[in-house]
Amino acid sequence: GNDSTAVSINGSLNIDSATVDYVPYRFLLTDGNGKIRFRDQDLLIDRLEGHAGSTKITLKGVAQKLFSLMDKDPGNVSINWTLTTPRLNVADFTSLAGKPVQTAPSKTDKSAVSLFGGSANRLDRLLSDGTIHLQLDAADLLYKNFSGAHAKAELLFTGNEIRLNNMEVQQGGGSLTLSGALHRAGDGAPNPVNLQSHLEQVDLPGLFASFSNFGQKALLDKNLKGKLSADVHMTGQLTDKAVLAPNSLKGNVTFSIKGGQLLDFEPMEKLQETVLKKRDFSEIHFAELKNQLDLDTTTLTIHRMEIQSTAFTLFVEGTYDWKTGTDMSLQVPLSNLKNKDPDITPTNKGTDSKTGISLRLRAKTQDDGKLKISWDPFRKALKAARPPRPKAHH
């Protein structure tokens, strides 16, 4: 205990058919095979293969000055890992999202503690307090219905935080990048998470299908075609099972859709019934659709958006609420009464462009859940979307 001589260990450990139970996170690695080397004060993992659930992984890593730092301050230990896999199922790693579980030592654990003294406790502190840098390389990546290819990521595990510094995934002929951080709150409390993402030319219906239409029923993957580019900034909360806590998302999405089409979309069919009765709204081709969406738990606010298509010109703004449905203001220029040449490619003129005389309509979900289009000359839909500011007190 009072020996000040620096620890030095040299040797190797061959592992065959091993199971590793990372107790604090209930994380199990099975069929473990590999070799661990000790070189002076460093720990080197030349190769460690195993299965985490359905995911086969290969790990390589090094912890420099492990033994001297573990004896003094395990929190200063830094471990660098490289993880490669042909197919990464994120569901196999969701237990790492929770806070470490405090468990009482078993009889076997107590025997180990009595045999190795404080070394076992210091090793536990190393795994919970040390910093782990992880480089991830996955040929395929799966998360529920989402699938991507050639995923590369850099993660940092430190204390109660997991930080995703950068992740790149190819998806649907396009690509997406993702960064963010998760704070593990523990004690069953939701874990705060923030993320930033950029999507580039991602297949729109494929994306909606991958994320189960983002929990809404107004616009489904079967109604869409096109390529999506977007910047996403969101905050929310995850459970210890890495499931999004209900009604916790807040943030905004700035998007652009090129080559867009709407297929058999109910609001457009309702518009056909109300105003443009001789147009075919079953398949509509659009000019570039671009806008910003603001999300506040259950309410999605759509800023004024220009929709130029082969069938009509339309300006839309309002809200969609996951609980109460749609409340949108529709501006329909009377120029729509002229039949459009289907061979002319639609082009945008700008949300502030002159529209001429227009009809004002309101698309609102009724108490029976059905969408109704009505006249709205006084723009009640917009007033509902923008509640009056409280009066100032003098």
Side-chain angles (χ1 to χ4, degrees):
N2 297 320
D3 190 351
S4 60
T5 305
V7 176
S8 178
I9 300 177
N10 289 280
S12 64
L13 176 66
N14 291 310
I15 299 174
D16 180 29
S17 306
T19 296
V20 179
D21 186 2
Y22 190 13
V23 176
Y25 294 100
R26 307 293 190 190
F27 180 71
L28 203 65
L29 186 68
T30 59
D31 304 321
N33 292 276
K35 183 177 182 179
I36 298 175
R37 287 190 296 124
F38 305 95
R39 185 182 64 193
D40 197 9
Q41 294 189 7
D42 300 340
L43 171 68
L44 301 95
I45 302 200
D46 294 331
R47 178 185 56 83
L48 179 60
E49 296 179 345
H51 284 86
S54 62
T55 302
K56 182 179 179 180
I57 64 174
T58 300
L59 282 167
K60 294 182 180 180
V62 59
Q64 295 180 329
K65 299 181 179 180
L66 171 67
F67 299 107
S68 61
L69 289 173
M70 187 175 70
D71 206 39
K72 297 175 183 177
D73 187 358
N76 286 333
V77 174
S78 179
I79 305 175
N80 295 299
W81 292 100
T82 299
L83 187 154
T84 57
T85 175
R87 182 175 179 271
L88 178 71
N89 188 341
V90 176
D92 294 328
F93 297 84
T94 54
S95 63
L96 296 175
K99 191 175 181 180
V101 178
Q102 300 295 329
T103 56
S106 65
K107 291 182 179 180
T108 305
D109 294 333
K110 291 177 180 178
S111 299
V113 171
S114 63
L115 179 63
F116 294 108
S119 297
N121 290 330
R122 289 195 292 272
L123 185 57
D124 282 344
R125 283 189 60 200
L126 162 67
L127 293 175
S128 62
D129 299 342
T131 299
I132 299 176
H133 299 265
L134 179 66
Q135 294 285 344
L136 170 69
D137 192 341
D140 293 308
L141 182 141
L142 301 175
Y143 181 63
K144 296 185 178 179
N145 295 323
F146 176 84
S147 62
H150 307 297
K152 296 182 182 295
E154 178 186 347
L155 294 99
L156 179 67
F157 296 79
T158 175
N160 291 327
E161 186 176 70
I162 302 175
R163 182 170 294 278
L164 178 62
N165 290 332
N166 187 50
M167 182 174 188
E168 299 178 359
V169 184
Q170 295 182 12
Q171 202 274 338
S175 64
L176 66 89
T177 60
L178 181 67
S179 61
L182 169 72
H183 180 76
R184 296 179 286 200
D187 299 326
N191 304 298
V193 63
N194 69 77
L195 61 89
Q196 300 81 42
S197 180
H198 176 73
L199 296 83
E200 187 67 33
Q201 294 292 299
V202 172
D203 181 63
L204 189 58
L207 184 69
F208 267 63
S210 295
F211 290 96
S212 303
N213 295 303
F214 300 96
Q216 52 84 39
K217 299 179 181 179
L219 185 60
L220 306 179
D221 57 282
K222 66 180 182 179
N223 303 128
L224 296 165
K225 282 187 178 181
K227 296 291 185 179
L228 170 70
S229 296
D231 287 302
V232 181
H233 300 271
M234 288 288 168
T235 62
Q237 295 178 332
L238 293 182
T239 68
D240 284 346
K241 300 295 183 182
V243 176
L244 187 66
N247 306 330
S248 68
L249 274 183
K250 294 184 179 183
N252 61 75
V253 179
T254 303
F255 72 89
S256 164
I257 299 172
K258 295 183 178 179
Q261 293 184 43
L262 270 181
L263 309 173
D264 302 319
F265 186 43
E266 184 190 13
M268 294 299 100
E269 293 172 351
K270 291 289 184 181
L271 189 64
Q272 179 190 27
E273 294 173 7
T274 308
V275 184
L276 306 172
K277 298 182 179 181
K278 295 183 179 180
R279 304 289 174 85
D280 180 10
F281 280 13
S282 61
E283 181 176 332
I284 305 170
H285 295 255
F286 293 91
E288 180 185 5
L289 291 173
K290 51 187 178 181
N291 198 9
Q292 177 177 313
L293 309 176
D294 296 330
L295 178 61
D296 187 355
T297 60
T298 65
T299 303
L300 186 68
T301 299
I302 301 172
H303 297 269
R304 181 173 170 83
M305 179 168 65
E306 177 184 14
I307 302 177
Q308 294 280 359
S309 76
T310 51
F312 58 83
T313 296
L314 187 65
F315 294 86
V316 177
E317 57 186 313
T319 62
Y320 173 78
D321 191 283
W322 268 247
K323 296 179 179 179
T324 60
T326 300
D327 195 356
M328 299 274 188
S329 174
L330 310 178
Q331 181 184 356
V332 186
L334 287 183
S335 58
N336 281 294
L337 297 178
K338 298 179 182 178
N339 288 325
K340 289 199 170 189
D341 186 344
D343 295 328
I344 297 178
T345 302
T347 56
N348 290 324
K349 297 179 180 178
T351 54
D352 296 327
S353 62
K354 294 181 179 181
T355 59
I357 300 174
S358 301
L359 298 177
R360 296 283 181 173
L361 305 174
R362 185 179 189 180
K364 191 176 189 304
T365 304
Q366 304 300 299
D367 293 338
D368 60 3
K370 295 181 178 180
L371 186 69
K372 180 182 178 181
I373 303 287
S374 60
W375 303 108
D376 189 25
F378 301 108
R379 308 185 194 184
K380 292 182 180 179
L382 294 183
K383 293 176 182 178
R386 301 169 186 164
R389 295 180 181 178
K391 294 181 179 180
H393 296 282
H394 298 285

